Amino acid sequence: MNLSKLCASVLVTFGVLSGTQAFAQAYPTNPVTIVVPYAAGGATDVIARMVGQKLSDKWGQPVIVNNRPGAGTAIGAESVVRAPADGYTLYMTTAAHTISASLYKKLSYDPIKDFAPISLTSVVPLVLVASPKLPAHTLQELIQYAKANPGVTYGSPGNGSPQHLTGALFKSQTKLDLIHVPYKGDAPMLNDLLGGQVQTAFVTLSAAIPHIKSGKINAIALAHPKRIDAIDKVPTFTEAGMSGFEAATWFGLFSSASVPADLQNKIYQDVSTIVATPEIRGKIQDIGGEIVNSSPMNFSAFIQKESKRWAEAVQISGAQVD
């Protein structure tokens, strides 16, 4: 390559880079959509709307939450992949995103390669709970009862959900004869748990807290490294005698992988500032969650680790969706 061609190539490259940086600095100039792969009213929807409202205030543009439930988050995820790679369609999802690669035989997208992690905003631990009709108030009492009475049931909001897979890991590690009862969502599962039709369940802390505080269900152990202030009398699994057993659902913001890196970083910086505020931190803590606010690099490493972990859980559970 002669000198004139080399200079021209450098100028073109510089122009492209300058253009993407300018685009990122000007963003957004139009409304932004955050796709949520669940129905309105759930924890993911609530967090997306909290963050979205603050982003709208910061950006001076509407941030619209678009609920696209169905097919275990696949409908919402696919809509993000198909959207233009301009940063105007973002994706707020949960641990189900890293489960789907192992759970579904056929997906029209790659949950890892087709998405860019922006920020892991928060986590909400899972808690093992039992129906008041079950004579067990501690982990050891529950294990003893289940050994003496094979076939104790555990409910979940659906096959392949984090709650189901955590139950499968618990069953595997304790070698108990437990029967999984899948439901279509948290609400019907909790209704049957309260009524005693299903005996135990791993439940997101945000969904369980009201029922634990009212005494309608017994909290057995928290699958978290430390106790949570909202239910500070409930021990962790490690404290209860099952060392290192941890599970949580998490809430993270993604874009499609084709969105320019400069724009991904701008979105992260703006989201990070919002999530760090006392107001958002307090609201997350009120539903039993903890702020993480990780960078795209740290979130990416977390996603890789989670994908491997849940793949092992899917294999143990035998769960599979066509």
Side-chain angles (χ1 to χ4, degrees):
M1 181 182 292
N2 61 36
L3 184 60
S4 60
K5 289 183 177 180
L6 177 61
C7 290
S9 177
V10 170
L11 288 172
V12 168
T13 302
F14 179 76
V16 170
L17 291 174
S18 297
T20 59
Q21 289 170 351
F23 177 71
Q25 289 173 358
Y27 170 94
T29 56
N30 295 302
V32 176
T33 296
I34 299 178
V35 173
V36 171
Y38 301 101
T44 315
D45 177 70
V46 169
I47 291 172
R49 291 180 189 277
M50 283 194 297
V51 173
Q53 181 58 59
K54 294 299 181 181
L55 284 174
S56 179
D57 295 341
K58 186 176 185 63
W59 288 341
Q61 291 288 342
V63 176
I64 303 159
V65 173
N66 182 11
N67 299 94
R68 299 291 300 272
T73 74
I75 290 175
E78 186 175 3
S79 72
V80 175
V81 171
R82 290 185 174 182
D86 54 10
Y88 284 88
T89 302
L90 304 176
Y91 186 46
M92 178 70 80
T93 190
T94 67
H97 186 71
T98 46
I99 294 170
S100 59
S102 303
L103 185 65
Y104 288 84
K105 291 181 179 179
K106 297 179 182 178
L107 282 176
S108 61
Y109 61 89
D110 188 311
I112 307 301
K113 295 180 181 178
D114 290 340
F115 291 84
I118 300 295
S119 182
L120 175 61
T121 62
S122 52
V123 297
V124 177
L126 299 186
V127 59
L128 175 60
V129 298
S131 165
K133 295 184 179 181
L134 201 67
H137 294 81
T138 68
L139 182 61
Q140 294 308 314
E141 288 177 356
L142 176 60
I143 290 173
Q144 289 171 8
Y145 179 85
K147 285 182 177 179
N149 300 272
V152 167
T153 55
Y154 73 97
S156 83
N159 282 316
S161 63
Q163 295 91 324
H164 166 213
L165 298 180
T166 300
L169 288 172
F170 177 72
K171 175 181 177 179
S172 174
Q173 292 185 26
T174 57
K175 306 201 181 320
L176 295 174
D177 179 14
L178 304 177
I179 297 174
H180 175 228
V181 183
Y183 289 81
K184 293 182 178 179
D186 273 323
M189 186 272 293
L190 282 168
N191 285 336
D192 274 7
L193 184 70
L194 293 169
Q197 286 81 16
V198 66
Q199 294 167 293
T200 67
F202 280 91
V203 185
T204 55
L205 194 53
S206 55
I209 281 178
H211 304 298
I212 293 171
K213 288 186 173 181
S214 68
K216 292 180 179 179
I217 56 177
N218 296 330
I220 303 298
L222 186 67
H224 199 57
K226 60 182 181 180
R227 295 195 187 200
I228 295 293
D229 290 342
I231 50 167
D232 58 1
K233 293 183 180 180
V234 179
T236 67
F237 268 87
T238 296
E239 290 173 329
M242 195 168 170
S243 181
F245 190 85
E246 298 174 10
T249 190
W250 47 261
F251 304 92
L253 189 69
F254 294 77
S255 71
S256 71
S258 301
V259 170
D262 284 341
L263 183 50
Q264 293 176 28
N265 188 60
K266 173 184 169 45
I267 296 169
Y268 161 65
Q269 295 294 340
D270 291 343
V271 170
S272 176
T273 300
I274 288 166
V275 172
T277 61
E279 179 184 356
I280 297 296
R281 185 178 297 276
K283 288 180 178 179
I284 296 295
Q285 289 173 341
D286 286 344
I287 62 170
E290 291 185 334
I291 295 295
V292 180
N293 209 5
S294 66
S295 67
M297 182 180 295
N298 289 338
F299 190 17
S300 181
F302 175 82
I303 290 294
Q304 295 296 330
K305 183 179 178 181
E306 279 281 283
S307 297
K308 181 179 179 180
R309 173 172 174 264
W310 289 121
E312 293 172 355
V314 168
Q315 186 175 15
I316 289 171
S317 72
Q320 193 74 68
V321 180
D322 292 331

